[in-house]
Each structure stands twice: as C-alpha cells, then as structure tokens.
Amino acid sequence: MSMTQKDKFLEMLTVEDLMISSEKVAHVQLNNPLEHALLVLVKSGYFAVPVLDNSYKLAGSISKTEILDHILGVDRFEVEKLSELTVHEVMDTNIKSIRRDITFIEGLKSIIDDPYVCVVDNEGFFEGILTRRAILKEVKKDYYR
Ligand code: AMP
C-alpha cells in the first residue's frame, strides 16, 4: 500500500509533497507594466509573487514594498510611473530557488528568511512555490502525532 502525504513522517517528506504547483501560483511577467503587478498583488492579497520570463523560467520576485519604493517621489507617490515602468526594472533578481526533490529540513532552512521560495527544475523552469505556511502546518501535525 502506498503512503499518502498525510501519513508521512517529516523525515520522509520532500518539497514536492508540500509545494503549491505552478498552475495555482499567481505570477507576473518581466515586461508587464508595474500597474499590472500592483493589481495582482492587491487583488490576491499576497506580499510578493514570482516573476517569470516568456518561456516560464524564473526571473525574480516582486513585492508591494518594492513597487511603492519605486514610485515614491520627494513628497508624493508618482502614480504615473505605474504605467511607465515595467516589472523587470523594479523586481528583485537576487532570489533563492530550490529543487522539488530536496528534503523537508532543507526546505525549512530555505524559507527561514523569506515568506516563500520558488521551486524550479534543472533548467530554471518554474514549478511552484514552497511557503512558510506549508512548512509550519507539517511541523504542527508532527508535534501532535
Ligand atoms: P503563506 O505562508 O501562505 O502566508 O504565503 C507566504 C507568501 O507566499 C505570500 O505572502 C505570497 O507572497 C506567497 N504565496 C502564497 N501562495 C501563493 C499563490 N497561490 N500565488 C502566489 N504567491 C503565493
């Protein structure tokens, strides 16, 4: 009989068991106007979302804070910049990524400093995200086991 994710002990889990797969992840693309990215972030309620290139490779991450920082002028928000700037001019490219086959504890270490981390394949194609929530749920389950 094969084991479902529910029955697995922490040591048996991999990131693949816990990740949110790409089709369920909100994302934006490199050449989207900043306005579109802000809409996605505000409507979804997420703090940040992944940025993908035209071939669906991971390119970076963009957050509400980065957008607001970029449109902040001397004494006002320069909202016209939302349609002038594109995502690639503002996004954070200095982001970590992980593989789906790493262990639970490696996944946990990878999100200590971030709310989520992207999962990519060997060629950099985006496969999904691992969130702190997913890790913490498993830790809680294990505590009460
Ligand atoms: P959570 O641990 O569920 O609060 O998620 C942490 C962060 O991961 C969120 O603030 C978002 O930046 C990102 N995130 C979670 N779920 C999604 C999703 N379905 N699409 C895009 N980003 C997500």
Side-chain angles (χ1 to χ4, degrees), residues 7-57:
D7 309 316
K8 287 187 186 175
F9 288 98
L10 287 188
E11 311 82 66
M12 300 163 85
L13 289 171
T14 64
V15 162
E16 182 163 19
D17 295 315
L18 307 178
M19 65 190 244
I20 302 175
S21 58
S22 57
E23 65 277 7
K24 295 184 193 140
V25 177
H27 73 272
V28 295
Q29 293 199 290
L30 281 173
N31 52 3
N32 287 152
L34 223 44
E35 191 168 26
H36 175 74
L38 189 57
L39 266 169
V40 170
L41 287 165
V42 172
K43 287 221 156 196
S44 65
Y46 296 132
F47 143 85
V49 291
V51 180
L52 307 183
D53 73 10
N54 291 341
S55 62
Y56 282 73
K57 281 190 176 177

